[in-house]
Amino acid sequence: MKVAVEVLEAQELMLKDGGGTASAFVEVDFDGQRRRTRTKPYDLNPFWNEVLLFDVADPLDLPSRTIHVAVYHDRSAGGGYQQGRSFLGRVRLSGSSVAPSRAEAALQVCSLGRRRFFSRVRGDLSLRLFALPTSSKASSSHVPSTSTTVPETHPSEKPPPATKNSKVFHTVGFEPARTRTKEFTSMEQNHSRSHHFRAEAPPPPPAMRMEAPPQPKSDYGLKETQPPVAARRGYRGGAKISNTYDLVEQMEYLFVHIVKARNLPAMDITGSLDPYVEVRLGNFVGKTKHVEQNRNPEWDQVFAFSKEQLQADRLEVWMKDRDVLRDGLVGKVSLPLVEVPWRLPPDSPLAPQWYRLEDERREEVGRGQLMMAVWKGSQADEAYPEAWHSDAHAIPLEAVRHTRSKVYFTPRLCYLRVHAIAAQADHRRIMQAQWFDLSKPTFFSEDAAAASEERRRESKFSSKLHLRIFYDAGYHVIDEPIQYSSDFQPSSKPLRRQSIGILELGILGAKDLVLMKSGNGGATTGAYCVAKYGPKWVRTRTLLGSLSPKWNEQYTWDVFDPCTVLTIAVFDNCQLHHNATKNGNGSKDQRIGKIRIRLSTLETNKLYTHYYPLLSLQPSGLKKIGELHLAIRFTCTAWTNMVTLYTKPMFPKMHYVKPIPVIQMNYLRTQAMGVVMSRLGRAEPPLRREVVEYVLDVGSHLFSVRRSKTNFGRVVLLLSGVTVVARWFDGIRNWKNPATTILVHALFLILMFYPSLILPTVFLYLLAIGAWNYGSRPTEPPHMDTELSCAESVTTEDLDEEFDPFVTRRSIEVVRRRYDRLRSVAGRVQELVGFLATQGERVQGLLSWRDTRATAIFIVFSAILAVVFYATPIRMVLVLVGLYVLRHPRFRSKMPSVPYNFFRRLPARSDMLL
């Protein structure tokens, strides 16, 4: 027999070359046989998908054998002058873990271990081990060699052909010399090495850019994690960033603030000087803009280098003169990194200071001086969002603005109410501002006399219209679906409630993202997140060249109502290419996935850290694009106010006193979304229209067969409880369990002889059910349920109908009108069915502990009612209830009752729908 070691991929390997990457290969040693994979140049997340075969002399002795797997960095990859290899990590596997066949082999994700105590390793390696009969042949692109000397991979070798399940990772490393004009460039030590690298990493095949392998059903759930963040109880590793950045991991950066220069010497006899500054750190170079004809220029620009890119022990800042033929050196400043101080907020910004410019021999150059500040900090630094990061060196200057993290606020919207009171068509002048003149429409005429006559006739027309126009700020302007709403506050600020808590969101990172196809035909790997809660929108940095980005950004919102929803969406930035920035519009940012979290389902002061699956429903079916790593914490600052909110109306008072018709409300919501899109699109960088539409769920009200099936399934699931009770009662009648039947008879007789115990027994039963369900309460936030959404069982025809735009693209006009009418009516039916399902799920939410505060309030109230009904005669209770229900309308309020308000705030499963 043979043992097959299938080497799939590695994640987040240690940096080993000067370009901030590594050229990795895997070597497997078993029973004196050594095999290795191909070298993947300049890739920290290499993907091999190769099978290595080994002979087994004695199959019975296999469980006692050890398989040694090591990952190395190939120094000669890409045509470099260095030879040898560097250790990246190793894994030891027992022969007992070898599966009998390929179908039974489980995927093993192993953390790389050290070879020595002081070895620096990191990352994971994915493997499969399985046995093969001697007659079997494995389809491997690698030819095994039994010799101990492993041949090195030549740079001219072509990579293995792409398969459907292959993954393509964007390459990060050296850039050719033609990219030196960009803001950040990578300094090559050898131009030939750069050209070899370009030939080794061709653009990915089109078939691999959008395809993602089908994921197993178990891969659509949440994955709880324990990241090393300061907020995690008991964590003592590393330094805490600050009190406001305790949900994310600390990322260290070197900040260089170039302020200005003075008294620069002239470089030629004309006395002209066009200075600019180059900030050099190892192989990375950042450039400021040049200032023409100025010997005292000002820049006020910050450069940021991550800790992983600190490849040198000195920082060099070069002052140069921009010349047509060549760039002349004015002077430079060199600083050792060991002397750079640390700074963390809330410390004040580091004061810049003047440095004298020196030549290459470290001698002072006349009167030239440069003002700058250099410090080490983290992502909590206020200079972090606006800094020019070194990972953006491969994009044009005009596209860098699309990579920065920003915070946006939507405008305060209110409704404009117009009352048409009366109209008047005589010649009397009425002195009221409420009256508006009506003028006839004027037409252009070339005849001056005819035009004068027309104006004379128009002056006699003095009809007026009596209007009352005012801003109605007592409403909440709805710009998102009500079931996913993040705000219910009125437009008027004096009418708003006080804050009851704080929501903190830490966007840690993502993993297993796939390449997205941009509008210009290329593949992009620039992911960023957008989070929306209330009027505040946040956008993270766009991280380039990584399918496992690490943002580690934290944001905070004030919470005014716990029964609201936080929305986080992930996009691929398609505004980073020359074609996208040339015309100003570019292609649309691609959707990766979206997550919704209802705050009422979170326990107070508890930290939630999970990987959330990013699911996307496409015309080809359901796809998992990756996973998003989040840390969430809801802190309550006013417990009394939060508990009383469950008894108050959800919307402002005007929504109940003077309700707006549903049809008009849908129209107003469309207008409000247009205003929000227009305002956010004028920001810098703008939140594009497709981003706002995806976050606000613009098309959630449109008809879809899949959504209709989903809502129908929710109703059927609720009615199944009635069926269960009927079957249970039928079993009692048929004496299937005699003991249970006797107990039911005894309880029935007791309640009939003592009717005053009926209601206390019912509420005590509800109390017992709620207390029993507390042990099995959900411990994770809700997430997208693919089975509930009918996303896995959807047909091709249903997907074609769902992604067909509204209006349909059918060619026959009659069919188009009928089809659109059907979709419009069916959309309302779909919303009605969803509304009914939501009400039933709220009933279930009374005792499910999904909203722990609401369930606690209900069971406490049940206990109180049990005592009250025990002490009060049932007849008196029925009389009081009947008189209260039949009371005169004069004694009734237009505002909803307390039970109704409490019921409307209960969570439903609508938050879990795609």
Side-chain angles (χ1 to χ4, degrees), residues 802-865:
E802 183 168 351
F803 286 93
D804 185 24
F806 187 93
V807 179
T808 179
R809 294 177 178 176
R810 301 297 183 265
S811 58
I812 304 176
E813 294 297 331
V814 176
V815 176
R816 175 179 300 177
R817 287 195 301 268
R818 293 178 179 176
Y819 186 59
D820 291 341
R821 188 184 304 113
L822 173 63
R823 297 176 70 181
S824 178
V825 174
R828 298 183 182 180
V829 175
Q830 167 187 310
E831 291 184 354
L832 177 61
V833 175
F835 173 79
L836 296 177
T838 299
Q839 309 314 311
E841 289 168 354
R842 284 172 176 168
V843 174
Q844 290 182 340
L846 287 171
L847 301 174
S848 65
W849 290 98
R850 170 55 69 183
D851 186 347
T852 56
R853 289 167 289 273
T855 305
I857 293 173
F858 180 74
I859 63 175
V860 170
F861 185 70
S862 300
I864 296 174
L865 288 182

Side-chain angles (χ1 to χ4, degrees), residues 718-873:
L718 290 174
L719 297 179
S720 63
V722 179
T723 305
V724 171
V725 174
R727 291 179 180 176
W728 173 81
F729 185 71
D730 186 69
I732 297 297
R733 292 174 59 229
N734 294 328
W735 288 78
K736 291 184 177 180
N737 190 337
T740 305
T741 304
I742 294 174
L743 290 177
V744 170
H745 278 78
L747 179 62
F748 173 74
L749 294 175
I750 292 174
L751 295 180
M752 289 297 99
F753 284 103
Y754 301 97
S756 60
L757 298 179
I758 294 179
L759 292 180
T761 302
V762 171
F763 285 104
L764 285 176
Y765 182 70
L766 296 177
L767 173 63
I769 294 178
W772 179 265
N773 291 342
Y774 180 79
S776 59
R777 67 189 184 280
T779 59
E780 297 178 347
H783 64 285
M784 304 297 182
D785 193 331
T786 57
E787 183 178 358
L788 179 66
S789 304
C790 298
E792 299 180 76
S793 60
V794 65
T795 63
T796 306
E797 294 182 359
D798 294 344
L799 289 174
D800 178 71
E801 176 273 331
E802 183 168 351
F803 286 93
D804 185 24
F806 187 93
V807 179
T808 179
R809 294 177 178 176
R810 301 297 183 265
S811 58
I812 304 176
E813 294 297 331
V814 176
V815 176
R816 175 179 300 177
R817 287 195 301 268
R818 293 178 179 176
Y819 186 59
D820 291 341
R821 188 184 304 113
L822 173 63
R823 297 176 70 181
S824 178
V825 174
R828 298 183 182 180
V829 175
Q830 167 187 310
E831 291 184 354
L832 177 61
V833 175
F835 173 79
L836 296 177
T838 299
Q839 309 314 311
E841 289 168 354
R842 284 172 176 168
V843 174
Q844 290 182 340
L846 287 171
L847 301 174
S848 65
W849 290 98
R850 170 55 69 183
D851 186 347
T852 56
R853 289 167 289 273
T855 305
I857 293 173
F858 180 74
I859 63 175
V860 170
F861 185 70
S862 300
I864 296 174
L865 288 182
V867 176
V868 171
F869 287 140
Y870 178 79
T872 307

